[in-house]
Amino acid sequence: MTASPIASTVAVEKPYRSKRTANFEIAAAPDAVFAMMCPVREYEWAPGWTTNLILSASGLVEQDCIFTTPAGASIASNNDSAEAIWVTPFHDPETRRLTMIKVTPKECVTRLDIAVDETNGGATVTASYEHTALSPKGRVIVDGHTEQSYAATMAEWRNALSSQLDAAA
């Protein structure tokens, strides 16, 4: 078998990544919870959340919404990442599912999948973050994506969303 000519000019590496998934329950209507999974609505419940630009026909998250976040902006604690570009390739309010892809150039690509399901007491949120390193700094981000740090981030989400949705009720 002959080696591909691209193999000699492009680095091909095994991905360095980490994926974490968590579930938490909120005593609120699933549609109300899902509506909060938006870069605009996040200002209502995520202290310190900020964006630079949101490209959206509706003014809220939607299929193909694009937004940017400045350096250090994050829904996760203790983040010192660079400016990032987020794209929402999948958004389905009927099934309450969405996917966002965050690209932090020269650092990391992050995939965020969110599902909000109805339960007897309100809603269950399932959130998965998958970080893939693009550089040594990205490897530090991946390595910092531990079970403990992710559990803390999801506890922050649950507490902040519950407080906001309780206040709005």
Side-chain angles (χ1 to χ4, degrees):
M1 177 177 253
T2 309
S4 166
I6 193 127
S8 63
T9 59
V10 175
V12 177
E13 301 174 11
K14 185 175 179 181
Y16 190 83
R17 65 174 46 126
S18 173
K19 183 175 183 178
R20 304 283 182 229
T21 301
N23 300 304
F24 59 89
E25 293 187 10
I26 297 181
D31 289 337
V33 175
F34 186 73
M36 299 303 248
M37 303 298 144
C38 166
V40 175
R41 300 290 309 273
E42 200 159 338
Y43 278 96
E44 298 173 33
W45 63 270
W49 172 250
T50 186
T51 57
N52 293 335
L53 171 69
I54 299 171
L55 302 173
S56 165
S58 69
L60 298 171
V61 71
E62 62 195 10
Q63 184 91 19
D64 301 323
C65 173
I66 298 171
F67 61 100
T68 63
T69 51
S74 177
I75 37 188
S77 300
N78 304 317
N79 188 320
D80 65 350
S81 68
E83 183 175 19
I85 301 163
W86 296 72
V87 179
T88 308
F90 180 76
H91 182 263
D92 185 357
E94 287 186 31
T95 62
R96 295 183 299 271
R97 304 286 189 269
L98 71 85
T99 298
M100 293 181 179
I101 305 294
K102 174 185 177 187
V103 178
T104 310
K106 299 182 182 178
E107 287 183 9
C108 197
V109 175
T110 301
R111 179 186 174 116
L112 168 60
D113 291 299
I114 299 172
V116 179
D117 293 305
E118 187 170 359
T119 62
N120 290 336
T124 297
V125 176
T126 303
S128 296
Y129 270 93
E130 180 178 78
H131 299 290
T132 303
L134 298 175
S135 67
K137 184 167 184 178
R139 286 177 174 256
V140 171
I141 293 168
V142 170
D143 291 343
H145 190 54
T146 64
E147 286 289 341
Q148 184 177 9
S149 69
Y150 194 61
T153 297
M154 291 296 102
E156 288 175 20
W157 275 35
R158 183 185 63 244
N159 294 337
L161 285 163
S162 292
S163 292
Q164 177 60 33
L165 291 165
D166 285 347

